[in-house]
Amino acid sequence: MKRRPASLAVRLTVSIGAVITIVLLTFGWIVERSINNHFIQQDVDELNAVVQALKHTLATLPPNIAPGELNERFANAVSGHHNAEYRISSDAGVEIYASPGSNLDRFVRIARPVENVTIETVGIWKDHEAIFRGAVLRTASDSLHGSGMLTIAVATGIDFHLHYLDSFRNYLRIITVAACLIAILATWLAVHQGHAPIRRISREMRRIKSDQLHIRLEPHAVPAELIELATSFNGMLERLENVFHRLSDFSGDIAHELRTPITNLKTQTEVALSQARSVEQYREILYSNLEEYERMAKMVSDMLFLAQADNNLLKPELVKIDLETEIRILFDYFGAWAEEREVRLEIVGQQICILGDRLMIRRALSNVLSNAIRYTPPGNTVGVTLELVTKAATVRIENPGPIIPAEHINRIFERFYRTDASRRRSGEGAGLGLAIAKSIVEAHDGTIHASSTDQSTAFEFSLPSIDC
């Protein structure tokens, strides 16, 4: 079973929550590092103060000073630095003075002497559960043990600082967790509220039924991010409404078109069976029925053709076609009918060739040309013009006759559509000819459109041309 993707609210909440958590942890780490560096700098400042005081005392010692006075001077040298410990020893390692309670022997042995006390040169060590930060320095002295080098070890306890940092770190963890939970909850609420327009649009979409396809969303009533969604949905609804109406009209029209021949067949059969008739009379009835069967067969064939066109199943067998030759063949085919109606047929223009299915193209031209002859008043001319316009073969079939109103001109290519409903039963076909012509032209990557004025009505084909 395919796993359903996580909801947008969960995705946004997790993403924003992760970003907030990282930001808070980074901020806490920066603050902790800043506090720790501050404590180190305080310790370094205190150690430097002790070192300066000891160096000053060494520099001011008189020669051959008594041990008691020496101890008193060193004890008073760093008064005020109660947390500091220090030890002074000779170059041979003999202890000269050490602050009471200090034990810096091991630190002196393991630490590397430095020239100055800085953040980079101080070291940390542990002694009897106490942690210290300190440094070992070498300095010259002429007052003690003759001229030579002395070793000064200074240190300060940092247990208080470390306890404070541990406490701060724990407190920071609690604050971070609480802040993350609050931020995630606030993010979820904000996302949930931010999705309210989507939920409202969904409710509006759910109430649209097949009999309410006229309902549209209001793009100006949604946030800017949803305008494109609302516009696209309205466009889809408009297409569905058009298709639904066409399907409803098509179902009604096809039922209406089939009902008449079926009724005729039923009536004629009932009349034939109502009494005994001669062989000749039965033959006439059968011929009449055959006409109705042929009409229904042609209608069904046209409907199957249009169904193939709707599903992109038309596969033209492409050959080179001379449009002038095809039109003259149609003139010969319709010549007797046109002469009977006192309509002249004329062709003008240059020789143009296209690549297409010969039978399909001939059928499309035939449907339009037969319409033009049918609606042309006696004594007038149906004209066909051939032109080459920017590598497109243009065929214009024009005839004088009644104007097609503007409200009908864009619908005449619909199936079963007639501008005059009274002509529906006039035996002029089922109203599928122009729809078939349009499907054929579009299957050849062309276009067809109609125009009508007080003087004439014209149908214009436009198809990709090739060299003849």
Side-chain angles (χ1 to χ4, degrees):
M1 182 177 178
K2 189 175 181 180
R3 185 179 178 183
R4 175 181 295 181
S7 68
L8 292 177
V10 172
R11 292 183 183 184
L12 287 174
T13 301
V14 171
S15 301
I16 298 176
V19 172
I20 293 175
T21 301
I22 293 173
V23 170
L24 289 176
L25 290 176
T26 303
F27 178 75
W29 179 80
I30 293 174
V31 171
E32 181 184 351
R33 292 284 298 176
S34 176
I35 294 175
N36 186 50
N37 290 336
H38 175 71
F39 284 155
I40 294 174
Q41 188 61 53
Q42 280 187 332
D43 295 338
V44 168
D45 292 342
E46 182 176 5
L47 294 175
N48 276 318
V50 172
V51 170
Q52 294 302 321
L54 291 176
K55 286 184 176 181
H56 177 72
T57 301
L58 287 172
T60 58
L61 287 177
N64 303 319
I65 187 173
E69 185 180 356
L70 178 66
N71 291 338
E72 182 179 356
R73 285 205 178 195
F74 280 128
N76 294 330
V78 293
S79 59
H81 298 278
H82 304 291
N83 196 39
E85 297 183 3
Y86 53 95
R87 179 180 183 271
I88 302 175
S89 58
S90 66
D91 196 28
V94 178
E95 181 180 286
I96 298 175
Y97 180 82
S99 58
S102 63
N103 184 13
L104 301 179
D105 294 341
R106 189 171 66 89
F107 179 57
V108 171
R109 291 194 300 270
I110 64 175
R112 176 179 298 178
V114 297
E115 295 182 0
N116 298 297
V117 180
T118 64
I119 292 178
E120 290 77 18
T121 59
V122 292
I124 296 177
W125 86 98
K126 186 176 181 180
D127 184 33
H128 297 93
E129 303 302 327
I131 300 176
F132 297 87
R133 178 177 285 115
V136 175
L137 298 93
R138 304 273 288 170
T139 184
S141 175
D142 296 331
S143 301
L144 297 175
H145 302 279
S147 63
M149 299 297 293
L150 298 179
T151 299
I152 301 177
V154 291
T156 182
I158 59 173
D159 288 334
F160 174 78
H161 294 170
L162 296 178
H163 290 321
Y164 178 83
L165 286 174
D166 288 339
S167 176
F168 176 79
R169 193 177 294 111
N170 293 333
Y171 180 73
L172 187 62
R173 290 196 187 101
I174 295 173
I175 292 296
T176 301
V177 171
C180 289
L181 293 176
I182 293 173
I184 291 172
L185 178 60
T187 300
W188 185 86
L189 291 175
V191 171
H192 182 77
Q193 184 63 28
H195 286 169
I198 298 179
R199 293 192 296 274
R200 179 173 57 81
I201 290 178
S202 299
R203 288 193 298 270
E204 293 181 8
M205 290 179 177
R206 282 195 297 270
R207 69 185 182 89
I208 297 177
K209 308 296 187 219
S210 59
D211 58 341
Q212 296 177 322
L213 293 177
H214 63 280
I215 296 177
R216 297 290 184 271
L217 301 178
E218 297 293 338
H220 64 273
V222 300
E225 295 80 2
L226 300 179
I227 290 178
E228 186 175 353
L229 173 64
T231 303
S232 300
F233 182 76
N234 287 342
M236 181 191 69
L237 274 183
E238 185 173 355
R239 292 190 296 272
L240 285 176
E241 185 180 17
N242 292 336
V243 171
F244 186 80
H245 286 164
R246 287 176 55 190
L247 182 61
S248 299
D249 294 342
F250 178 78
S251 300
D253 289 336
I254 193 63
H256 194 64
E257 293 290 340
L258 290 175
R259 182 178 61 181
T260 299
I262 291 175
T263 301
N264 292 341
L265 290 170
K266 179 175 178 294
T267 301
Q268 292 176 13
T269 302
E270 288 175 347
V271 170
L273 295 175
S274 63
Q275 61 183 11
R277 299 182 183 276
S278 65
V279 174
E280 189 63 29
Q281 289 175 327
Y282 281 124
R283 189 187 302 274
E284 291 179 2
I285 292 172
L286 289 176
Y287 274 123
S288 178
N289 289 350
L290 181 61
E291 291 179 359
E292 297 293 345
Y293 284 130
E294 289 177 348
R295 180 181 176 186
M296 286 193 296
K298 184 178 185 307
M299 187 186 308
V300 171
S301 176
D302 290 345
M303 289 167 53
L304 289 175
F305 184 89
L306 290 172
Q308 289 180 321
D310 288 342
N311 292 281
N312 297 320
L313 297 178
L314 292 182
K315 302 299 180 183
E317 297 181 4
L318 303 179
V319 296
K320 185 177 180 180
I321 301 174
D322 185 338
L323 290 178
E324 182 182 9
T325 301
E326 292 299 320
I327 291 171
R328 292 194 181 280
I329 291 174
L330 292 176
F331 278 7
D332 292 339
Y333 179 78
F334 290 113
W337 181 42
E339 186 177 348
E340 179 185 345
R341 297 180 63 92
E342 300 180 11
V343 173
R344 295 184 300 275
L345 302 177
E346 291 184 356
I347 181 171
V348 296
Q350 61 192 103
Q351 185 185 32
I352 298 176
C353 295
I354 65 169
L355 198 64
D357 188 297
R358 189 181 304 278
L359 293 179
M360 286 188 185
I361 295 296
R362 186 176 295 177
R363 185 176 185 179
L365 293 172
S366 173
N367 289 349
V368 177
L369 187 59
S370 63
N371 262 10
I373 296 173
R374 181 178 296 114
Y375 293 108
T376 299
N380 289 276
T381 302
V382 174
V384 179
T385 303
L386 299 177
E387 284 186 289
L388 187 62
V389 181
T390 61
K391 296 185 179 181
T394 301
V395 181
R396 182 180 179 87
I397 300 176
E398 188 171 7
N399 67 283
I403 185 174
I404 301 176
E407 63 269 19
H408 297 300
I409 195 69
N410 293 324
R411 300 191 60 189
I412 58 176
F413 293 103
E414 296 179 10
R415 301 164 193 186
F416 299 111
Y417 188 80
R418 290 187 179 87
T419 58
D420 186 358
S422 63
R423 295 179 179 270
R424 187 175 292 273
R425 301 271 61 88
S426 63
E428 297 174 353
L432 298 174
L434 292 181
I436 291 175
K438 181 180 180 182
S439 298
I440 291 174
V441 172
E442 290 179 348
H444 287 78
D445 297 326
T447 60
I448 180 174
H449 69 273
S451 59
S452 185
T453 64
D454 294 336
Q455 289 76 32
S456 64
T457 297
F459 289 84
E460 189 170 294
F461 297 77
S462 181
L463 296 163
S465 66
I466 60 173
D467 295 331
C468 291

